[in-house]
Amino acid sequence: MRNFLKQYYVTILIGIAGIAVWELITRYGNLNPVIFPTLSKVFRVFTQNIEELLLGLVSSLRLLIPAYIGSIILGIGGGLLLGLHHRLRHVLMPYVHLLSPLPPTLFVPYAIAVLPTFESASIFLIFIGTFWHIFLGTLHGVLIIEKQYLDNAKTLGLKGNDLLFKVIIPAASPHILSGAGSALTMSFLILTMAEMFGAKSGMGYFIQYYTDFAQYDYVIAGIIFNSAVILIALLLFEKLKKRLLFWTNLKEDTD
């Protein structure tokens, strides 16, 4: 705890200052109290509706987790496939350049029209929005591996799965995980957007539902809850990333 406070005391002070400023301007300023409720009202939402917020989190994760896992499996697999096969990459890269910049929102009409449920449409949109980050990160990671490392590995008799899992994937893993981190952030963005327009539960739905009834203490509570969930997810991912890329951590410690 002491090390944590020493490392983040400035961050904590900024947060406390922000809370104090919000409380002052909402209590004593000329702001609309409906749109800008005091923190005591927002806190009351957490104490009275925490079960609703947690059920919304569970509902959101049912959409996010399968989409994200699918994008990891197919993104890494596809990136490795194109990265290791020059001829296939030459044929397909124009389509990659064509499709990867398209925002997932462009596919909303077809996702709704073709897929049977809102849940399947949302999973598809999250998948589309996260797949390209992981795919391109993996592809880039494979392509920048220096040829001499591959030649040395082959000289040592490594080939097939041994070459793939002992040399190529470890060498490309910093870029793979970087893409996975960007994809995780994007997944929450698309999830919230989707839930605001067609869901019957979820973190984004909670905000949209109470916005329609102008209950902005609930809206702000939902925003804070969403932010906390996203922050925790990203921190856990960074911890996992540092553990997997332990050799880069050692390098940073020695600098």
Side-chain angles (χ1 to χ4, degrees):
M1 178 61 73
R2 181 178 297 178
N3 290 335
F4 176 84
L5 293 175
K6 184 177 180 180
Q7 187 175 1
Y8 292 105
Y9 75 94
V10 175
T11 305
I12 294 171
L13 289 176
I14 292 173
I16 293 173
I19 292 172
V21 169
W22 179 273
E23 190 67 16
L24 286 172
I25 63 175
T26 52
R27 283 186 179 276
Y28 305 108
N30 294 321
L31 299 177
N32 186 331
V34 175
I35 301 177
F36 299 99
T38 62
L39 289 177
S40 59
K41 290 184 178 180
V42 175
F43 180 75
R44 194 178 303 122
V45 174
F46 282 104
T47 59
Q48 296 177 351
N49 297 80
I50 188 62
E51 184 176 353
E52 183 180 358
L53 288 166
L54 292 176
L55 289 175
L57 172 60
V58 172
S59 177
S60 295
L61 292 179
R62 287 175 180 169
L63 303 178
L64 187 145
I65 290 176
Y68 187 69
I69 291 176
S71 67
I72 287 178
I73 294 171
L74 296 180
I76 294 176
L80 290 172
L81 183 64
L82 262 67
L84 296 173
H85 295 85
H86 173 75
R87 187 179 297 276
L88 184 63
R89 186 169 66 251
H90 178 74
V91 172
L92 295 182
M93 278 308 292
Y95 293 103
V96 172
H97 293 311
L98 174 68
L99 296 173
S100 59
L102 296 178
T105 50
L106 294 181
F107 298 96
V108 169
Y110 277 95
I112 294 174
V114 174
L115 296 171
T117 64
F118 164 80
E119 287 76 13
S120 59
S122 297
I123 290 172
F124 171 76
L125 292 173
I126 296 170
F127 171 81
I128 290 295
T130 55
F131 168 81
W132 291 112
H133 291 276
I134 301 172
F135 173 86
L136 293 174
T138 303
L139 177 61
H140 181 66
V142 173
L143 292 179
I144 65 169
I145 298 174
E146 295 185 18
K147 189 174 183 298
Q148 69 182 50
Y149 292 127
L150 299 179
D151 292 338
N152 292 339
K154 291 177 181 178
T155 301
L156 294 172
L158 293 176
K159 58 182 180 180
N161 288 336
D162 286 336
L163 180 64
L164 180 64
F165 289 104
K166 293 181 179 180
V167 177
I168 294 173
I169 291 180
S173 57
H175 294 277
I176 295 174
L177 291 171
S178 177
S182 300
L184 182 61
T185 303
M186 179 61 70
S187 69
F188 280 103
L189 188 153
I190 301 170
L191 170 70
T192 304
M193 175 201 71
E195 288 180 334
M196 282 185 168
F197 292 101
K200 295 181 180 179
S201 62
M203 298 190 297
Y205 171 81
F206 182 92
I207 295 173
Q208 185 60 50
Y209 177 82
Y210 287 105
T211 299
D212 293 340
F213 291 95
Q215 291 183 263
Y216 286 95
D217 49 345
Y218 283 76
V219 172
I220 294 174
I223 292 172
I224 294 172
F225 184 78
N226 277 22
S227 301
V229 169
I230 295 170
L231 176 62
I232 291 170
L234 293 178
L235 289 176
L236 291 175
F237 180 84
E238 284 300 316
K239 185 176 286 292
L240 174 63
K241 181 178 175 182
K242 288 182 179 180
R243 184 177 293 275
L244 293 175
L245 301 179
F246 61 89
W247 66 89
T248 61
N249 298 334
L250 293 175
K251 184 178 178 180
E252 290 174 2
D253 291 341
T254 59
D255 288 342

